[in-house]
Amino acid sequence: MSLETADWRRRVFALYETVRAQEDPAQAHKVWQTGRDELLKTHAASPVEERATYDGPEIGAYRPELRFDVAIDTSVEPVRWEVPSATDGVIPFSRLGVVHLPEVGDLDVWWLESYGGGLFVPVKDALAGTRTYGGGRYLIDTVKGADLGGDFRAGRLVIDLNFAYNPSCAYSPRWTCPLAPKTNTVAVGLPVGELTPQL
């Protein structure tokens, strides 16, 4: 399973590299949707357990107004966030800053403090538990390749809510995932990105 997971991550890194190379964000979204769909349905390390009968995730229509190229506001108090894990012990994060998204709300930007480090931005919206995963979704997780770009040296991130995706624990209890904290919860509904199927 370790080599399968390594291959999954390699493919995710390659997918996001292709996404960042697209000039049109809507086209980049189509590339992402096709690539993620294939990985979830076919890859041996997919968190989807019943892949033979899985039709792929439902993805909301692209909304260009939900894409932001924003500065990270670092004028925040330092906060440590520790997430207990069934397999990896405690996963430590520290708050790097916050991004302000007009008409949406604020999201904390976290830095993974364990080996290798990485940026992490989850989001939980007003549709959580109905049309979106109850624990929130991920926007950026650079340690695993989910990176939409931005000028890091200038302290900027591309936050595109259309690329919100479910953590692995949304598919299987075998996985333990950091879920969006209160500071990454917004009061608006975000019917974009990866959705929860309507029953």
Side-chain angles (χ1 to χ4, degrees):
M1 186 63 174
S2 295
L3 290 178
E4 292 168 349
T5 301
D7 184 69
W8 167 278
R9 290 188 181 175
R10 177 183 283 173
R11 290 173 186 266
V12 171
F13 271 91
L15 173 60
Y16 277 85
E17 183 176 10
T18 303
V19 164
R20 289 191 301 273
Q22 305 300 310
E23 292 186 9
D24 177 16
Q27 179 59 34
H29 186 255
K30 290 178 183 176
V31 169
W32 172 78
Q33 181 175 351
T34 300
R36 182 154 172 82
D37 187 83
E38 180 183 354
L39 283 169
L40 287 172
K41 290 197 293 187
T42 66
H43 199 281
S46 169
V48 176
E49 295 181 347
E50 301 297 330
R51 291 189 295 278
T53 57
Y54 181 62
D55 292 329
E58 180 183 352
I59 305 291
Y62 190 81
R63 291 174 52 181
E65 72 274 17
L66 294 177
R67 182 184 188 275
F68 305 91
D69 184 338
V70 290
I72 303 171
D73 178 359
T74 57
S75 62
V76 294
E77 292 294 323
V79 174
R80 186 171 173 85
W81 173 34
E82 295 185 341
V83 180
S85 164
T87 55
D88 300 318
V90 173
I91 305 170
F93 293 91
S94 61
R95 184 166 63 175
L96 188 67
V98 62
V99 289
H100 308 290
L101 308 182
E103 309 297 326
V104 175
D106 295 346
L107 297 174
D108 277 350
V109 178
W110 298 94
W111 179 258
L112 175 64
E113 292 288 353
S114 52
Y115 179 78
L119 295 174
F120 180 59
V121 183
V123 62
K124 182 176 180 180
D125 70 291
L127 300 178
T130 56
R131 287 299 281 138
T132 61
Y133 181 58
R137 297 173 290 169
Y138 294 174
L139 297 168
I140 296 175
D141 188 1
T142 61
V143 75
K144 295 181 181 174
D147 170 15
L148 295 170
D151 187 344
F152 291 167
R153 291 174 294 181
R156 300 189 68 85
L157 287 176
V158 171
I159 302 284
D160 193 331
L161 297 161
N162 295 282
F163 288 78
Y165 68 94
N166 291 334
S168 297
C169 55
Y171 293 103
S172 170
R174 294 183 298 118
W175 298 89
T176 302
C177 307
L179 301 179
K182 288 183 180 179
T183 55
N184 286 74
T185 301
V186 296
V188 299
L190 298 171
V192 293
E194 196 169 333
L195 303 174
T196 299
Q198 290 180 304
L199 301 177

